[in-house]
């Protein structure tokens, strides 16, 4: 594979993206089928999703031959270190892009689109534009909530990279961050200063004061799925 050919390189990236997306989409469809009681269709979606994962991995191996381990026994210490470091570097790169660029820009755009739609609604009074404005509002809020999550992911990988390089062990701050709680399912971080205005939780509301029927605004997990947030930290070995 000549990766100097930019079109094939770009196509491999696109194919990896497409297969990865198909995998998650089919898992979503499997959930839908399961909820609607069609276990057989749910299984078909799950099985196909697993195959899409293999397709995605095949593309990724061509994109990153430096990460392909064919015979683990023949990999010596320094090679193992280099491969794992590369995985962590790529992971940090992706998460950092998400929290510094992608989600902040998406959130800005969704806010602008919502305002545009709200104006259209004012002019036309159509139910559809009202619905769009609601979706954009929710999108802006989700993008905003995802920004600290991706930051948290990048930090966790950064700590793992430091640990890999022998600078300590990956761990967490012994004390939780004051007032902050994290969803065990999706890593949404509840910050009392921000609250969850979309769900009627005003800024300044401590987590303990949130009603028990409140749900995670990202993944819908129950309040009981949240635990006090300890941020990732490198601990002495
Ligand atoms: Fe992430
Ligand atoms: Fe969640």
């Amino acid at each position: 594979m000549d990766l100097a050919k930019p079109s094939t390189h770009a196509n491999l990236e696109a194919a990896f993206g497409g297969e990865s997306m198909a995998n998650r989409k089919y898992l979503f469809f499997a959930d839908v089928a399961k909820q609607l009681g069609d276990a057989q269709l749910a299984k078909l979606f799950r099985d196909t999703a697993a195959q899409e994962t293999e397709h995605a991995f095949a593309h990724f191996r061509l994109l990153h031959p430096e990460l392909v381990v064919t015979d683990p026994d023949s990999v010596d210490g320094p090679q193992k270190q280099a491969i794992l470091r590369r995985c962590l570097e790529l992971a940090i790169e992706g998460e950092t892009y998400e929290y510094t660029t992608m989600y902040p820009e998406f959130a800005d755009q969704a806010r602008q689109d919502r305002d545009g739609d709200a104006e259209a609604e004012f002019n036309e009074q159509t139910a559809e534009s009202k619905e769009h404005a609601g979706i954009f509002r929710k999108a802006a809020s989700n993008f905003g909530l995802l920004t600290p999550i991706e930051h948290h992911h990048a930090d966790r990988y950064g700590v793992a990279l430091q640990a890999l390089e022998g600078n300590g062990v990956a761990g967490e701050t012994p004390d939780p961050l004051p007032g902050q709680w994290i969803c065990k399912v999706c890593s949404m971080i509840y910050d009392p200063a921000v609250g969850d205005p979309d769900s009627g939780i005003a800024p300044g509301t401590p987590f303990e004061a949130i009603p028990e029927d409140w749900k995670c605004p990202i993944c819908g997990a129950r309040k009981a799925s949240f635990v006090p947030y300890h941020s990732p930290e490198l601990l002495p070995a």
Side-chain angles (χ1 to χ4, degrees):
M1 168 69 47
D2 182 3
L3 287 182
K5 294 262 192 308
S7 53
T8 293
H9 190 266
N11 289 344
L12 275 173
E13 296 265 14
F16 175 69
E19 297 286 8
S20 303
M21 208 185 320
N23 164 271
R24 305 327 284 184
K25 202 156 54 175
Y26 296 162
L27 291 179
F28 188 95
F29 295 163
D31 256 17
V32 172
K34 189 180 154 203
Q35 280 174 323
L36 297 180
D38 194 329
Q40 204 179 350
L41 195 52
K43 185 177 181 311
L44 173 65
F45 279 128
R46 270 199 313 274
D47 290 349
T48 313
Q51 292 166 15
E52 305 296 10
T53 295
E54 292 310 318
H55 302 167
F57 282 11
H59 298 317
F60 203 77
R61 278 185 211 107
L62 293 177
L63 285 164
H64 290 286
E66 79 279 16
L67 302 178
V68 177
V69 179
T70 36
D71 174 16
D73 293 336
S74 71
V75 180
D76 66 19
Q79 284 171 320
K80 181 181 155 191
Q81 182 88 357
I83 292 169
L84 294 177
R85 182 190 300 122
R86 179 78 182 127
C87 289
L88 285 167
E89 284 167 355
L90 286 168
I92 291 168
E93 197 182 289
E95 301 288 347
T96 303
Y97 164 73
E98 289 174 359
Y99 83 81
T100 58
T101 306
M102 186 177 87
Y103 283 130
E105 284 181 1
F106 284 5
D108 272 356
Q109 185 63 55
R111 276 188 289 268
Q112 285 172 31
D113 289 351
R114 180 194 67 193
D115 292 346
D117 256 53
E119 204 178 322
E121 185 205 347
F122 188 70
N123 294 331
E124 296 171 27
Q125 297 289 329
T126 64
E128 199 186 346
S129 69
K130 190 174 177 187
E131 190 186 318
H132 285 170
I135 291 170
F136 293 155
R137 189 163 156 271
K138 178 65 180 152
S141 141
N142 280 2
F143 293 150
L145 292 171
L146 284 159
T147 303
I149 299 178
E150 306 305 350
H151 197 158
H152 163 76
H153 287 167
D155 284 352
R156 214 166 42 172
Y157 284 136
V159 164
L161 182 57
Q162 287 289 312
L164 182 76
E165 294 182 334
N167 298 323
V169 281
E172 294 180 331
T173 48
D175 294 320
L177 267 66
Q180 304 208 2
W181 290 64
I182 186 167
C183 174
K184 283 190 287 183
V185 179
C186 76
S187 284
M188 186 266 166
I189 299 163
Y190 179 80
D191 180 350
V194 178
D196 179 15
D198 283 345
S199 307
I201 310 297
T205 307
F207 187 80
E208 293 81 353
I210 297 175
E212 288 309 309
D213 61 356
W214 175 79
K215 297 259 168 43
C216 172
I218 292 285
C219 76
R222 291 176 312 127
K223 187 185 171 189
S225 303
F226 281 69
V227 292
Y229 177 47
H230 299 251
S231 63
E233 191 176 66
L234 192 70
L235 304 173

